[in-house]
Amino acid sequence: MKQKKTRRMTVQAEATLEELRKLKTHPTAEELHNILRKRLPKVSLGTVYRNLKMMVREGEALRLVQPDGEARFDGCVDVHYHIRCRSCGRLDDVEMKPLTRIEPRLQEQSGWLVEGHSLEFEGICPRCLSMGGVC
Amino acid sequence: MKQKKTRRMTVQAEATLEELRKLKTHPTAEELHNILRKRLPKVSLGTVYRNLKMMVREGEALRLVQPDGEARFDGCVDVHYHIRCRSCGRLDDVEMKPLTRIEPRLQEQSGWLVEGHSLEFEGICPRCLSMGGVC
DNA sequence: ATGTTTGCAAATCTTTTGCACACTT
DNA sequence: AAGTGTGCAAAAGATTTGCAAACAT
């Protein structure tokens, strides 16, 4: 028979989820690691990755891939959209209510079972605009 | 003064663009490399990457990042959307006309200069559906 | 002739994994 | 006590880069 595979609440896992939820900057694993080190000086990057992966699997966090392939993480799992700055790379949330009609419509005419969508904008952020597009 | 930096049309670059445009499967660099080898047995993966990067920079191809961070390339640069199968990973084009109203609307109320968007659906493809979700 | 592109291999970068030990339950 | 999570370092996978030779202009 199978093992129980019960999930344990360690200080590392707890702190990771907590800090991620606190941040609104969609940090990379490494950025989050640096922040966590202030509380837990010996926490390893590998552990951060392991816990982030668990959190994503359990639906407690989102994993967002950047154009360069690096991942950013989001502690808010409600459906929402993002916008990325082409100049400085920052990733912000967007104030826009979720599109609810497109999924059923696509499902009808496509033959796919449509289970979700992600929408990401790109452009230049206010800060970079005020600095002439370079920041 | 600056160099000219003229782009040269080598057989490798030409074949890469040609094969990519022919394919509708959004291949990875490695998949494309394998296809190219049939025509150019000694073409290197590095060269494929270099040419793909140029093509993306010049607006001749799109680079699409997958959840695992690996990139897929698309020789069609018209605005269009994709859908990814959660089961087998395939990435198809979607028949849907581009959303034209969301960008200006977002720009007005956000303070960003909005220059583009990408929309990607996910679900289960017809083939996986017919095989019980596993293919 | 000049300067860009190539093939090769080594280097880089992000993420994963094996292992022995610590810790949660 | 049983078995999961951790830290560390090594491994893996994708992409980039340095270099000398080949090639396009």
Side-chain angles (χ1 to χ4, degrees):
Chain A
M1 57 188 77
K2 299 271 194 254
Q3 333 284 3
K4 348 190 162 166
K5 200 71 177 179
T6 48
R7 188 151 166 223
R8 291 182 180 173
M9 200 35 80
T10 62
V11 284
Q12 292 91 335
E14 203 166 13
T16 303
L17 186 51
E18 198 178 306
E19 291 293 342
L20 182 58
R21 289 203 171 132
K22 200 181 296 177
L23 291 167
K24 288 151 209 272
T25 55
H26 313 98
T28 63
E30 196 171 0
E31 286 167 357
L32 189 54
H33 180 224
N34 286 331
I35 288 163
L36 285 167
R37 279 214 265 208
K38 293 172 189 162
R39 287 170 61 170
L40 306 167
K42 2 187 11 178
V43 69
S44 74
L45 182 54
T47 293
V48 175
Y49 272 111
R50 267 185 295 236
N51 282 322
L52 283 170
K53 188 164 224 179
M54 262 187 200
M55 288 160 53
V56 170
R57 197 188 302 127
E58 305 285 322
E60 298 166 344
L62 296 179
R63 184 189 154 108
L64 315 164
V65 281
Q66 298 182 278
D68 69 353
E70 199 181 11
R72 291 187 169 278
F73 296 86
D74 190 338
C76 171
V77 293
D78 303 330
V79 176
H80 65 289
Y81 306 132
H82 298 107
I83 184 165
R84 179 183 318 279
C85 181
R86 283 179 174 168
S87 175
C88 67
R90 82 187 275 172
L91 187 65
D92 275 9
D93 287 336
V94 146
E95 302 277 343
M96 174 182 285
K97 60 179 168 210
L99 305 172
T100 54
R101 277 170 248 209
I102 44 175
E103 283 187 28
R105 200 188 308 162
L106 176 61
Q107 177 159 327
E108 279 170 36
Q109 49 106 241
S110 71
W112 284 63
L113 174 62
V114 182
E115 299 180 314
H117 70 275
S118 66
L119 173 59
E120 187 182 300
F121 296 86
E122 57 181 324
I124 309 290
C125 74
R127 197 156 84 87
C128 285
L129 279 176
S130 73
M131 301 178 80
V134 193
C135 75
Chain B
M1 56 187 75
K2 299 271 195 251
Q3 331 283 4
K4 345 190 163 166
K5 201 67 177 180
T6 49
R7 187 147 167 228
R8 291 182 180 174
M9 201 35 81
T10 62
V11 285
Q12 292 91 334
E14 203 166 12
T16 302
L17 187 50
E18 201 177 304
E19 291 294 342
L20 182 58
R21 288 201 172 134
K22 201 181 296 178
L23 291 168
K24 288 149 210 275
T25 55
H26 313 98
T28 64
E30 197 172 358
E31 287 166 357
L32 188 54
H33 179 224
N34 285 332
I35 288 163
L36 284 166
R37 278 215 265 209
K38 294 172 190 162
R39 286 171 61 171
L40 306 168
K42 1 187 12 178
V43 70
S44 75
L45 182 55
T47 293
V48 175
Y49 272 112
R50 266 186 296 236
N51 282 322
L52 283 170
K53 188 166 223 178
M54 264 187 199
M55 288 160 51
V56 170
R57 196 188 303 128
E58 306 284 322
E60 299 165 343
L62 297 178
R63 184 188 154 108
L64 314 165
V65 281
Q66 298 182 279
D68 68 354
E70 197 182 12
R72 291 188 170 276
F73 297 87
D74 190 337
C76 171
V77 292
D78 303 330
V79 176
H80 65 289
Y81 307 132
H82 297 107
I83 184 164
R84 180 184 318 278
C85 180
R86 282 179 173 168
S87 174
C88 68
R90 82 187 277 173
L91 187 66
D92 275 9
D93 288 335
V94 146
E95 301 277 343
M96 174 182 284
K97 61 181 169 208
L99 304 171
T100 54
R101 279 169 249 210
I102 43 175
E103 284 187 27
R105 200 189 306 162
L106 176 61
Q107 177 159 326
E108 278 170 36
Q109 49 106 244
S110 71
W112 284 62
L113 174 63
V114 182
E115 299 180 314
H117 69 276
S118 64
L119 173 59
E120 187 181 300
F121 296 85
E122 57 181 324
I124 308 291
C125 74
R127 198 156 83 87
C128 285
L129 278 178
S130 73
M131 301 178 79
V134 191
C135 76

